[in-house]
Amino acid sequence: MRRLAGVEDEEKWLAEGIAGIQHTAFFMHRALDANNLREVLKYSALMLSELRTSKLSPQKYYDLYMRAFDELRQLEVFFKDESRHGLPVVDLYELVQHAGNILPRMYLLCTVGSVYIKSKQAPSKDVLKDLVEMCRGVQHPIRGLFLRSYLAQVSRDKLPEIGSEYEGDANTVMDAVEFVLQNFTEMNKLWVRIQHQGPGTVREKQEKERNELRDLVGKNLHVLGQIEGVDLEMYKETVLPRVLEQVVNCKDELAQYYLMECIIQVFPDEYHLQTLETLLAACTQLMVGGLSDLSVLPLTILPTVDTKIVLTQLMDRLSNYAASSPDVLHEFLQVEAFAKLSNAIGKVIDTQIEMPIVGAMTLFVSLLTFTLRVHPDRLDYVDQILGACVVKLSSVPKLEDARAMKQVVALLSAPLEKYNDIVTALTLSNYPRVMDHLDDGTNKVMAMLIIQSIMKNNSCISTADKVEVLFELIKGLIKDLDGTDTEELDEEDFQEEQNSVARLIHMLDNEEPEEMLKIICVVRKHLMTGGTRRLPFTVPPLVFSALRLVRQLDSQGGDITGEEVSATPRKIFQILNQTIEVLSSVPCPELALRLYLQCAEAASDCDLEPAAYEFFTQAFILYEEEIADSKAQVTAIHLIIGTLQRINVFGVENRDTLTHKATGYSARLLKKPDQCRAVYACSHLFWVDDIDGIKDGERALLCLRRALRIANAAQQMSNATRGSSGPVTLFVEILNKYIYFYEKGNPHITPSDIQSLIELINTEMQSDDNGNRRTHSDPFFTSTLRYIRFQKQKGGLIGDKYDLIKL
């Protein structure tokens, strides 16, 4: 049993061992210089005896081994030169077998054996077979591992492989393979045996030490992968079965995992593909060791190999191979790679009941990545993987593992990245079923990824069925899920989410009006469940999408009637009226008013006077009952006036009613300047400068005169409260309105009216000129006068018209 020691003891024993090697090496070098073979063998055996220690950990033993290895290199040079020691290499090979201790004897035998092979006095295969058999004499795990590692190192360039100078007769490659396989088998047994050295209380330390030694064993597989002449047939019939037999039967978790990793990394991809069934069968046996007497083992030492990592590495390797060239894809089809991988993963997941959910999800992600690279056209394979994922997730009450969530997101993101088209993902029936197992936060993350994919690839969702599926996928952004309180969300994050949904609505389109109306109805159904915080973000894009459809119908010059839904402007306006009414109750009256006015203008374009009038009515109701802020009222009344001015669908009665309302509300604004500006803006309601526009010059003049009276009242109030008259800006603004209507041919606007207003402004400015002129109004008035002079100078009809105005 290996003696256990502390770090300080190991350092001391290592120092003693190195000192022993240096001491005996000194005398060995003297013997080398004297070409004294007997003394060389004597001191080299003493030097190598230092490697018999059992007091060092593998790492410390490696340091000691490297000191001895350096000396063995010089000893080999001496053995090569027969003129120095005077003994034929055959006799030398016999002589070193008489060394007293087996460990020095075997190191010397391997060194001389290397020289013996190089001399070609005996076939390489015979010497190698002799050496690998005699090394069985060293059964101490660590000493035996390093001895066989030395044998592998000195023999690497002397294997009888094809093209080698040591190549023998027929079947010589098999001799090289047999030597490496035998050495690998013995080294693996020694490596596994380390776990049984010492008491169970130091098991963790032993596993760490064993892990440090794994490369010694793995180098044999690297050599196997590099031997010239090992073709697919030999690999399939000899190499892989022998290696897997050792892997499966060693009953050791660390060894099984590492050696499977080596197999996957060392041998060519095409070999893995052609032996896929054998590899996968071995993977499914790792957890039980493949032994009939496994039941006699204590339950606590049953191997628990992380098979998912092995399978993941294999699938990743094959995926990269498939992506390397389109020419190899037919090979995957020939061996039915997907079916074999899918069955193997199913067996592993079913058998390893205690496998964490993140492990199963990792396997599904790797299988999906493989499928998307090898069979991108087989959506049924993709859906099959998602279905298996649903089954596994259904066995878990609630998915709470953050790592598993991340893997599920990766699983759902893979089709989006591969196809660059959400429409393809929407055809996968199990896609939304997987999303249902995400928690609310992750559901939102996935929904944002879906929307970003749509925006990035400029994808257009063109059918109501696909929109239905899409909105089910992103329902975490559209409505409050169970247990979610939107009040707790960060405001900036919430706005970003809702703006993303708003942009998404604009990506839903279909040239067929009937189908587009179905899409709008589906979207509306989902959005109406969003709650009061979301509607201000999501309703406007829905309204404008519907208005786009209205204008499309209007441009086609008729209504299109479908089997289920009538795609007519009238029907769409009914839906819009109901939709905006919901928004107005949020409450969000200013936004609702703007949308009502947009709909009124669209209804006017479609020559639907009743619909346009109804939308204006709703806008006025909102203005009266919901908008109380004075600034909001000013903005709202100007919007109403501007929209009404552009609409020409109304008959005399309806137009008079609406203009009367608009002028009445304008005159009742809180501040006099706001009243004045709103009232003179109403003048445009009675004089519209187009062919079909109304031209009631008298009522336009009445609005201007009323605005003038309000401006004068504002001046008087300013004088009463401040002791001086206010600015003349309002008068100048009204003057510009007079000039506008005068130019447009309003017969009720006369040059004398304009001249009187100019004189009034001059008078007001003079009365305020006490050395403190209000210069901010002067530029506006000066520019207006300059414009009048410029028009005078034009001559012709315009010049004649302005000549009547005396400045």
Side-chain angles (χ1 to χ4, degrees), residues 555-726:
S555 66
Q556 292 176 356
D559 297 341
I560 297 178
T561 303
E563 297 178 2
E564 299 179 4
V565 183
S566 219
T568 65
R570 185 175 289 102
K571 176 67 176 180
I572 297 170
F573 285 132
Q574 291 173 1
I575 296 173
L576 289 176
N577 199 358
Q578 298 166 5
T579 304
I580 302 172
E581 185 177 0
V582 173
L583 181 61
S584 64
S585 63
V586 168
C588 197
E590 292 119 351
L591 178 58
L593 183 141
R594 289 172 180 268
L595 295 177
Y596 277 133
L597 294 177
Q598 288 286 341
C599 292
E601 191 168 355
S604 173
D605 294 340
C606 295
D607 202 24
L608 293 175
E609 181 180 2
Y613 188 83
E614 175 62 23
F615 285 124
F616 262 104
T617 302
Q618 295 298 326
F620 278 122
I621 291 173
L622 283 177
Y623 181 86
E624 290 175 353
E625 298 179 357
E626 302 293 340
I627 301 178
D629 180 73
S630 59
K631 289 185 178 179
Q633 286 182 337
V634 171
T635 302
I637 198 63
H638 279 281
L639 285 170
I640 290 173
I641 294 169
T643 306
L644 186 56
Q645 184 265 336
R646 292 192 297 272
I647 290 178
N648 56 15
V649 72
F650 294 123
V652 175
E653 183 179 350
N654 285 340
R655 187 171 188 86
D656 283 348
T657 302
L658 296 176
T659 53
H660 177 72
K661 279 283 187 183
T663 53
Y665 288 133
S666 299
R668 289 197 294 271
L669 292 173
L670 178 62
K671 298 177 182 179
K672 290 294 183 182
D674 292 336
Q675 289 181 19
C676 177
R677 292 186 173 97
V679 169
Y680 73 59
C682 287
S683 62
H684 290 281
L685 298 178
F686 304 104
W687 189 280
V688 180
D689 188 31
D690 58 40
I691 298 175
D692 300 323
I694 185 173
K695 289 183 173 56
D696 189 342
E698 183 177 1
R699 295 179 71 180
L701 178 61
L702 288 175
C703 287
L704 295 180
R705 287 177 176 173
R706 189 174 186 182
L708 195 56
R709 288 196 300 271
I710 296 172
N712 188 55
Q715 284 289 74
Q716 292 176 5
M717 289 176 63
S718 177
N719 186 51
T721 56
R722 301 177 185 176
S724 63
S725 59

Side-chain angles (χ1 to χ4, degrees), residues 2 8 37 77 194 197 257 289 315 345 372 380 420 464 486 508 515 528 533 551 588 595 752 781 791 796 806:
R2 183 166 62 87
E8 293 182 359
L37 177 62
V77 174
I194 295 176
Q197 302 294 307
Y257 170 72
M315 286 186 285
I345 289 173
L372 291 174
D380 55 326
N420 293 328
T486 56
L508 314 176
E515 188 65 27
M528 291 302 103
R533 286 188 70 194
R551 290 189 166 87
C588 197
L595 295 177
S752 61
F781 183 52
Q791 295 296 81
K806 306 300 181 183

Side-chain angles (χ1 to χ4, degrees), residues 4-28:
L4 303 176
V7 175
E8 293 182 359
D9 290 335
E10 278 200 323
E11 291 291 346
K12 182 183 72 173
W13 291 330
L14 175 62
E16 291 176 356
I18 292 175
I21 289 177
Q22 291 174 337
H23 178 72
T24 51
F26 172 76
F27 291 103
M28 185 186 76

Side-chain angles (χ1 to χ4, degrees), residues 119-187:
S119 69
K120 299 181 181 179
Q121 296 182 29
S124 170
K125 64 176 184 178
D126 293 339
V127 178
L128 292 176
K129 182 178 181 180
D130 192 31
L131 291 175
V132 77
E133 289 290 342
M134 284 195 287
C135 283
R136 291 177 184 269
V138 180
Q139 288 297 308
H140 185 278
I142 294 180
R143 295 198 290 264
L145 270 176
F146 278 94
L147 170 63
R148 287 188 174 276
S149 176
Y150 179 70
L151 172 61
Q153 194 157 354
V154 298
S155 62
R156 175 62 192 97
D157 59 345
K158 302 173 182 67
L159 296 176
E161 56 188 315
I162 292 178
S164 166
E165 59 180 303
Y166 307 104
E167 180 181 0
D169 300 330
N171 209 27
T172 183
V173 177
M174 184 57 73
D175 294 324
V177 169
E178 187 63 36
F179 165 76
V180 178
L181 282 174
Q182 190 172 348
N183 199 46
F184 160 72
T185 300
E186 295 300 324
M187 288 184 75

